[in-house]
Amino acid sequence: EKDKDDAKVADREHDLSRLWVVDIGSKKIRQVTRGTWRINQFEWLAAERILAVATHQPKAETWTNALYKISVSDGTFTAFSQPNQPFGGLSVSPHHNHVAFVATRNAGPSPYDLFVQSVEGGAPRDVSDHIDRRVLGVKWQNDSTAIFSVADGFHYALYSLSVGGQPKPIDLPYSNGDFDIDRDGSLAFVAIEFNRLPELFLKTASG
């Protein structure tokens, strides 16, 4: 009876999250990953390759996720990077040259800093360490520029990052909620304050 009351971890092989692809033309659905692999998040790298946050040790009661390149044709996993644990918020630039994710500087307890890494490899770079605020999300304008949001107490602020440079604050009249950036640099964001309802604002590239 005691065993029936104990909590169980959902790590049975048939319960693991799998990666599937759909051919839009033929509408055929095909399973890509199998075995003990668990997929948490993924982004396309190319027509035949996907970058995923995944683990092959789902039963381990510790952080075991890493970044893997997955072949769409045969489901083969190739290790790409091992960010500091825990990490998440995976994002790939529009032309698939850079990868961004939110991770810790050392060992937790929660993802805090924004890291950028070349798809070709090399060490990831902590691009938000001098800001020292928790990164909430990132959006790419193009392959060389990204916009990310940070929590500064009860205020949320946006920063612009040129890959290889240092992030710069974006001057906005309100704290921001969700946001997105167009290829021409136009920024849309939801303004949030304690004394007003959320509203959508547009900041053009010219200001």
Side-chain angles (χ1 to χ4, degrees):
E1 291 297 325
K2 183 179 183 300
D3 290 342
K4 294 181 181 179
D5 295 332
D6 289 345
K8 301 293 183 182
V9 178
D11 54 21
R12 294 176 300 181
E13 188 171 316
H14 63 272
D15 289 333
L16 297 175
S17 298
R18 307 297 191 184
L19 188 64
W20 300 69
V21 294
V22 181
D23 185 284
I24 301 300
S26 65
K27 299 182 180 180
K28 291 183 178 180
I29 302 174
R30 180 170 59 86
Q31 183 176 337
V32 176
T33 61
R34 302 177 186 277
T36 60
W37 288 96
R38 182 182 67 208
I39 309 297
N40 291 92
Q41 188 183 359
F42 69 91
E43 292 269 335
W44 285 97
L45 281 181
E48 287 297 321
R49 197 159 299 277
I50 287 173
L51 184 67
V53 178
T55 179
H56 59 88
Q57 304 177 65
K59 295 183 180 181
E61 295 183 7
T62 185
W63 293 311
T64 59
N65 280 342
L67 288 175
Y68 294 89
K69 292 180 179 180
I70 304 175
S71 169
V72 175
S73 61
D74 61 12
T76 300
F77 282 72
T78 304
F80 171 71
S81 180
Q82 178 60 79
N84 294 331
Q85 302 282 6
F87 74 96
L90 177 66
S91 179
V92 176
S93 63
H95 294 291
H96 312 117
N97 289 322
H98 300 285
V99 175
F101 53 85
V102 182
T104 62
R105 298 179 194 175
N106 296 303
S110 60
Y112 196 85
D113 284 15
L114 180 65
F115 290 79
V116 174
Q117 184 174 6
S118 171
V119 170
E120 298 300 320
R125 184 171 71 96
D126 187 344
V127 298
S128 66
D129 56 345
H130 76 283
I131 299 175
D132 198 28
R133 295 292 183 271
R134 181 167 62 94
V135 175
L136 303 174
V138 60
K139 301 287 179 67
W140 290 93
Q141 176 183 343
N142 49 49
D143 255 40
S144 61
T145 304
I147 306 297
F148 64 94
S149 175
V150 303
D152 187 0
F154 292 108
H155 182 79
Y156 298 159
L158 292 179
Y159 282 78
S160 175
L161 171 71
S162 293
V163 174
Q166 293 296 324
K168 298 178 181 179
I170 298 176
D171 185 24
L172 298 176
Y174 305 108
S175 180
N176 70 276
D178 196 16
F179 67 97
D180 204 357
I181 184 77
D182 190 43
R183 298 292 181 262
D184 68 0
S186 298
L187 175 67
F189 67 97
V190 177
I192 53 173
E193 296 288 348
F194 290 113
N195 59 350
R196 63 181 299 138
L197 293 172
E199 293 181 297
L200 182 64
F201 281 73
L202 179 66
K203 179 181 174 65
T204 63
S206 61

